[in-house]
């Protein structure tokens, strides 16, 4: 009855805009349609994850990225940037796509159709 769908939200007009917004930083807080998220630039790719560690709910704003993982600044748990998996937990992540008309992030939702 239910089907998992993805709603794509335009987060920027261009890659250059996001790079300018990030500046020298590796990640910045981002409001994704009312969700507290982090936009991450790691090895020339954009990622977006929920700004809340699934372990104890602390913000990941001061996290660092290493070898394809975001590392919680409080407990040092690492979560894969692509899958969100790590430490036996799952960090909610949002796919990011670069298209001709801008950069989009996907938010999954359940639909009746």
């Amino acid at each position: 009855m239910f089907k998992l769908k993805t709603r794509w939200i335009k987060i920027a007009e261009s890659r250059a805009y996001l790079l300018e917004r990030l500046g020298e930083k590796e990640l910045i807080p981002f409001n994704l349609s009312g969700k507290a998220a982090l936009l991450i630039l790691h090895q020339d790719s954009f990622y977006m994850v929920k700004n809340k560690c699934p372990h104890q709910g602390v913000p990941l704003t001061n996290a660092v990225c290493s070898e394809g993982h975001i590392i919680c600044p409080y407990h040092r748990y690492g979560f894969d940037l692509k899958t969100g998996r790590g430490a036996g937990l799952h960090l909610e992540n949002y796919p990011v796509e670069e298209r001709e008309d801008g950069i989009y992030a996907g938010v999954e939702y359940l639909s009746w159709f």
Side-chain angles (χ1 to χ4, degrees):
M1 245 204 254
F2 290 104
K3 184 176 182 180
L4 190 61
K5 293 186 175 183
T6 302
R7 179 170 50 111
W8 291 95
I9 301 165
K10 190 172 190 174
I11 60 171
E13 293 295 325
S14 68
R15 179 179 184 83
Y17 171 79
L18 289 179
L19 291 174
E20 181 180 321
R21 189 161 170 210
L22 280 160
E24 298 295 316
K25 298 177 187 170
E26 184 172 45
L27 54 89
I28 55 171
F30 208 94
N31 182 339
L32 181 63
S33 191
K35 296 178 182 276
L38 287 176
L39 176 69
I40 302 162
L41 178 64
H42 183 68
Q43 296 179 347
D44 205 38
S45 293
F46 289 115
Y47 300 92
M48 191 166 281
V49 300
K50 186 173 187 175
N51 189 5
K52 186 176 183 181
C53 180
H55 174 231
Q56 289 189 345
V58 296
L60 295 172
T61 308
N62 295 320
V64 296
C65 293
S66 176
E67 298 178 13
H69 290 78
I70 184 167
I71 312 298
C72 175
Y74 297 96
H75 305 103
R76 307 294 300 155
Y77 289 173
F79 300 93
D80 187 281
L81 288 170
K82 292 179 184 176
T83 66
R85 295 181 189 266
L89 301 167
H90 182 264
L91 174 62
E92 189 173 342
N93 59 343
Y94 312 101
V96 177
E97 286 187 3
E98 294 186 49
R99 301 179 185 172
E100 287 183 24
D101 67 331
I103 312 293
Y104 291 79
V107 177
E108 292 182 335
Y109 67 96
L110 288 176
S111 172
W112 285 92
F113 303 94

